[in-house]
Amino acid sequence: MATTVRRSTRTLPAAPLGPENPLPALLPLDEAHTLDESERAALPPEVARQVGYAPLRSVLPTRVLDGYGRRRTPTRLDTLVLENDQLRVTVLPGLGGRIASLFHKPTARELLYVNPVFQPADFALNGAWFSGGIEWNIGATGHTTLSCAPLHAARVPAPGGDGVMVRLWEWERLRDTPFQVDLWLPDDSDFLYVGARIRNPHHRTVPVYWWSNIAVPEDPGTRVLAPAEETWYFAYERRLRRIPVPEWEGTDLTYPLHSRFPADYFYEVPDDSRKWIASLDEKGQGLVQTSTDLLRGRKLFVWGAGAGGRRWQEWLTEPGTAGYVEIQAGLARTQLEHLPLEAGGELAWLEAYGPLAADPETVHGADWAAARAHAERRLEVALPRGAVEAAYAAWRPYADAEPEGRPEEGGPEESAAEEGGYQEGGERRWLATGSGWGALEVERGGFTLPGTPFPPETLGAEQRPWTELLHNGTLPCGPEAVPPGPTLVAPEWRELLEAADAGPDADAAGKASRHELDYHLGVAQWHAGDRSQAVRSWERSLELGARWPALRCLAVADRQNGHGARAADRCLAAVRDARERLGARDSLAAAALVALAREAASALLAEERAEEAGEVLDGLPEEQRQRGRCRLLRARVLLAKGDTEGARALFDAGFEVEDLREGEEVLSDTWAALTSEPLPPRYDFRMRP
C-alpha cells in the first residue's frame, strides 16, 4: 500500500485537564534535574559550562496546569494516523504531537509503551504531563510546557515529492523559538523517519534544549543497549556521577528492574560512534532509535524496583497495567545542559524509529562489548548509517515546503480519496491548529519562517490585548471579575510595556488600565531579573487601585527576600480581596481563588499561624476542600495545632494529591511528623533513599 495519512480518533478513559492556573508562575516549579555549584565544579569543562548556561528563572510566559483530577471518563481524542505496509503510527496533535503508538504490522507488535488512559500528573515544567509514547521535549530541562498543548499539524510533500508527511510545529515560548517535527514513512519502510528543526529568528543568541523521550515496555528481561562504556548517573539525590557500563557496584544496570530507585543514565557515546539506543526483550526483540550525529546524547530512565517507583508507575496509569522505561535522545550529553543557538541560526537533524531483532543469547550475554556490537550490526542491516544520512540530506530541501491549506478552511471529507494523503490542487484545512502565540510573535518581529506559517487567522482572545499594545501602544484592561490575562515577558514585549500609554491618570478608566499595565510590567521585570523594579511596579499598581493580583506578586517577592511574616499578611489580604472581586462562576476566577488559598495556607503555616490557615481553607467550596492538596494542607494545619489524632484520621480515611510533584516529599514528611509507623504504600512516592 502507498503511505497514507488520515485523521481519526481514539477513545480512552481520560481525566480532564481543567483550567489554567491564572497566577503568574514567578518561580519555577520544583525541578528535580538541578545541581548545586559544588557538584558542577567537578564536571568536565564543557558539561559544567552547559549545565550553568541560562537556567530557567520561571516558566513565564506560560501558565501552570494544575487543575486536573483523577476521575476518568471515556473521552474521544483526535489522532493523525500515518500508515504503510509495515508500520501504523498514531499521533496526538492536541497533546504535544505525542506519538501514542508505533505498531509493526508484519510481526503484529506494538513497539512503544501505550498508556491505556490519559492521566495528567505533575511532571512537566508547567505541571500537567502524561506518560507513554514518544514525546518531543523542547525548551528547558524537564518535560516541555507543550506536553498537553495543541500543535499545528498539516500535510506537506515527503522527500522525493511523490509521498506525504505530517508536519507538526509550534512556537516554543520559554525560549521564543519556532520548531517543527516532520513525520514520514517511506514506502515499505520498517522505520518511521522524523526530521526535526529548531530556529532562532531573533537578533540575539538563545538557549536551546531538546530530548526525544521514548516510552517502551518494562518487561522483566528487557535490556537497554547503547554504544557506551560509561554513563553519567543522576538520581534524585541531585548528584551527577560518572560510572561504568553495564555493571556498577555489582549490579548490571542495563536491565531497568535492577535499579532500586528512579534514576537517569546518560550514556557517554563517543563522538565518532553511530548514535543509537535500543530496548530489547528476553527474545532479543524490541525498538531501536537512531539519528544523525547532531543528536549526540542517549539516556535510559528507570523507575526502579522500589516501592516509590512502582507507586508512581501505578499513579500514571491504572492498577494492573504493565510498567515502562524511557530511552531517550538529546542535543547534549545530559538533560541538565542547554546549548547556545546563535542569532538567525538553526539546528536540524533526522531520527529513525523501528523494530530490531537480535540474537538473544548475545544480547543478554555477559560480554557487554559483544552485546552492543551485535546489536549495532543488526541495526546496520536493518537501517544502514549511510541511509540515515541520505534520508536527512533528502529531507532538508523539504523542510521549507509550505503546509497544505489554511487553518480557517473546512476540513477534508472522510473518504478513500482523502485517506490517500497529499493531493495536488484544492486547498484544505490544516490537520490541526495550535496556539496563536506564534502568529503574534511573527507579527511583532516580521519573521519569515518558510515551512512553519503562523498566520493571523490563528490569533485568539488571549493575543488581542497584546496586538493592541503592539499597534496602538495601549494595553486594554480586562473586567475586574476575571483574573488578568497572561503576561508576555520577552525583552521586546517588556520594552513595549515600559513605553505603553494607559491614558490620563485623572480618568477612572485610565487609572484602571494603568494599574493592570503596571501589574504586567512588574511580571516582565521580575522575569528579566530586575526584581526591585518589579516590586516598585506592583506597589504602584496597588496605589492605582489594584488589589489581589499585585498583593500576591508582592507576597512572592517577600518570601524570596526572607520576609515571611509580611508575605503571609499579603497572601491573606489577597485571598480576602479576591473573594470580593472575582466572579465565582468564571472558571479562571474559581481557579485563581483556589490557587490563592493554597498559597496563603502554606505561607501562614510557615509562620506558625495555623488557625488562620485553617480559616482560609474553610472559605473554599466543599468540592475544593475535598481535593487531595487541600486535605493534605488540612492535615498539616491540624498537626500544627497539635491535633495529631485528627491529622492521622485524614490519612487513614485516604486521599490523593492529584498534582503531587515529581520528587515532592511532603506526603512522607507529613506522615513522619505524625507517627513512626511505616509509610502506607498508597502514600509512598519516594524517589530516593
Side-chain angles (χ1 to χ4, degrees):
M1 62 181 287
T3 298
T4 63
V5 172
R6 68 180 187 273
R7 299 160 81 183
S8 186
T9 60
R10 180 185 180 201
T11 299
L12 72 168
L17 278 172
E20 294 179 326
N21 185 330
L23 307 188
L26 300 178
L27 302 174
L29 300 185
D30 184 29
E31 173 50 51
H33 292 80
T34 58
L35 288 178
D36 62 33
E37 192 63 34
S38 62
E39 289 286 329
R40 208 176 85 198
L43 298 174
E46 181 190 33
V47 178
R49 182 173 63 253
Q50 292 176 173
V51 167
Y53 174 55
L56 281 186
R57 294 190 180 96
S58 74
V59 296
L60 291 168
T62 64
R63 285 179 155 180
V64 171
L65 288 170
D66 59 5
Y68 51 85
R70 294 190 56 80
R71 181 174 299 172
R72 299 187 287 265
T73 58
T75 304
R76 190 172 68 178
L77 302 178
D78 290 333
T79 64
L80 304 175
V81 180
L82 295 80
E83 190 166 6
N84 67 4
D85 277 332
Q86 310 300 310
L87 289 173
R88 183 168 61 247
V89 185
T90 304
V91 183
L92 300 172
L95 294 169
R98 183 83 59 101
I99 294 180
S101 170
L102 186 61
F103 185 77
H104 188 236
K105 295 158 72 172
T107 59
R109 293 179 60 241
E110 174 60 56
L111 301 179
L112 303 176
Y113 165 77
V114 176
N115 198 331
V117 305
F118 172 70
Q119 177 55 63
D122 196 357
F123 279 73
L125 288 164
N126 63 334
W129 170 87
F130 65 105
S131 65
I134 304 172
E135 56 180 307
W136 319 111
N137 286 306
I138 181 174
T141 298
H143 293 281
T144 177
T145 60
L146 296 166
S147 292
C148 294
L151 302 190
H152 301 295
R155 294 178 175 85
V156 292
D162 58 354
V164 63
M165 62 183 175
V166 169
R167 174 161 300 155
L168 305 164
W169 76 100
E170 246 299 358
W171 193 279
E172 200 287 311
R173 302 178 66 206
L174 295 183
R175 305 302 198 181
D176 265 339
T177 50
F179 73 98
Q180 70 190 76
V181 175
D182 289 353
L183 310 173
W184 79 100
L185 293 170
D187 288 350
D188 300 322
S189 174
D190 281 307
F191 282 80
L192 168 70
Y193 286 173
V194 179
R197 177 166 64 166
I198 304 172
R199 287 189 275 193
N200 176 11
H202 305 288
H203 297 296
R204 63 181 189 275
T205 298
V206 298
V208 295
Y209 170 98
W210 181 281
W211 282 80
S212 303
N213 287 16
I214 310 131
V216 291
E218 183 197 55
D219 297 324
T222 292
R223 192 178 205 188
V224 172
L225 300 101
E229 295 182 352
E230 291 183 306
T231 182
W232 292 94
Y233 166 70
F234 183 84
Y236 289 80
E237 302 93 328
R238 301 189 181 186
R239 293 181 59 199
L240 190 63
R241 287 174 282 177
R242 201 170 188 163
I243 66 172
V245 178
E247 189 172 302
W248 184 50
E249 295 184 344
T251 302
D252 187 336
L253 296 173
T254 60
Y255 290 90
L257 287 173
H258 287 185
S259 294
R260 185 181 173 198
F261 289 96
D264 298 329
Y265 300 94
F266 300 103
Y267 294 109
E268 188 68 36
V269 179
D271 289 343
D272 59 352
S273 294
R274 183 174 184 178
K275 307 304 184 286
W276 62 275
I277 189 168
S279 173
L280 303 180
D281 62 19
E282 60 186 6
K283 297 179 180 179
Q285 298 179 337
L287 177 136
V288 64
Q289 186 270 1
T290 187
S291 70
T292 48
D293 286 355
L294 183 68
L295 206 65
R296 65 176 297 182
R298 291 299 185 275
K299 171 192 161 183
L300 164 64
F301 167 76
V302 301
W303 287 105
R310 307 328 297 170
R311 181 69 177 109
W312 272 116
Q313 290 258 36
E314 181 182 74
W315 182 257
L316 294 171
T317 179
E318 57 186 2
T321 301
Y324 74 97
V325 299
E326 289 179 2
I327 56 175
Q328 307 181 12
L331 287 173
R333 278 189 181 90
T334 75
Q335 288 175 336
L336 286 70
E337 302 168 69
H338 302 103
L339 307 180
L341 179 57
E342 70 279 2
E346 69 176 42
L347 295 173
W349 63 93
L350 184 131
E351 305 179 47
Y353 298 81
L356 188 67
D359 174 55
E361 292 186 7
T362 307
V363 165
H364 298 287
D367 189 331
W368 169 248
R372 70 175 194 265
H374 171 68
E376 186 161 337
R377 286 195 299 271
R378 296 301 303 156
L379 170 60
E380 186 66 18
V381 171
L383 184 65
R385 187 177 189 179
V388 174
E389 297 292 341
Y392 173 72
W395 166 70
R396 288 297 280 135
Y398 289 84
D400 287 344
E402 289 302 317
E404 179 188 289
R406 301 287 291 180
E408 83 282 7
E409 295 178 355
E413 295 293 326
E414 288 294 337
S415 66
E418 189 273 331
E419 290 185 4
Y422 183 82
Q423 296 176 354
E424 294 293 338
E427 286 191 331
R428 321 173 186 168
R429 192 175 63 178
W430 291 351
L431 296 170
T433 303
S435 77
W437 295 113
L440 182 65
E441 293 300 334
V442 167
E443 190 168 335
R444 182 201 58 75
F447 303 126
T448 300
L449 299 167
T452 54
F454 296 95
E457 297 93 331
T458 59
L459 291 166
E462 286 189 320
Q463 290 83 45
R464 286 193 196 108
W466 300 94
T467 304
E468 185 78 12
L469 175 65
L470 179 63
H471 294 296
N472 300 319
T474 60
L475 190 70
C477 182
E480 188 177 69
V482 178
T487 304
L488 297 185
V489 297
E492 297 83 359
W493 289 107
R494 188 175 73 252
E495 291 172 4
L496 288 170
L497 286 169
E498 289 168 346
D501 180 12
D505 282 351
D507 177 76
K511 281 189 175 183
S513 182
R514 182 73 239 182
H515 80 62
E516 188 160 324
L517 178 61
D518 282 328
Y519 157 78
H520 286 295
L521 178 58
V523 173
Q525 290 165 333
W526 178 273
H527 179 265
D530 191 355
R531 296 191 168 184
S532 59
Q533 189 59 55
V535 167
R536 286 193 286 273
S537 294
W538 291 327
E539 288 174 341
R540 188 168 58 247
S541 181
L542 275 180
E543 293 169 2
L544 291 170
R547 297 302 302 166
W548 71 264
L551 280 169
R552 183 266 174 175
C553 290
L554 288 167
V556 173
D558 284 335
R559 286 199 300 274
Q560 290 298 104
N561 292 327
H563 304 304
R566 190 166 65 194
D569 287 340
R570 280 175 161 162
C571 280
L572 189 57
V575 168
R576 291 169 175 168
D577 182 69
R579 285 175 178 168
E580 294 180 5
R581 295 173 185 257
L582 290 177
R585 293 185 179 180
D586 180 84
S587 61
L588 283 179
L593 288 168
V594 173
L596 287 168
R598 286 168 39 165
E599 288 191 4
S602 295
L604 291 163
L605 281 169
E607 296 301 308
E608 299 182 353
R609 294 162 64 175
E611 194 69 41
E612 290 168 292
E615 291 171 1
V616 167
L617 296 176
D618 289 340
L620 289 172
E622 176 65 19
E623 179 184 1
Q624 291 297 332
R625 292 202 302 270
Q626 293 305 315
R627 284 177 63 89
R629 182 66 67 174
C630 288
R631 287 174 68 81
L632 176 59
L633 282 167
R634 176 70 67 186
R636 292 176 58 202
V637 165
L638 293 172
L639 186 60
K641 292 166 68 173
D643 186 359
T644 304
E645 184 177 336
R648 173 63 185 266
L650 285 174
F651 272 85
D652 290 343
F655 58 87
E656 293 182 321
V657 181
E658 296 90 346
D659 62 336
L660 190 70
R661 183 72 176 164
E662 174 189 13
E664 187 177 3
E665 297 177 344
V666 64
L667 277 171
S668 52
D669 288 349
T670 305
W671 178 264
L674 285 172
T675 177
S676 60
E677 296 176 21
L679 182 66
R682 69 179 301 173
Y683 300 119
D684 192 353
F685 293 89
R686 292 173 292 188
M687 303 181 81
R688 61 176 181 165

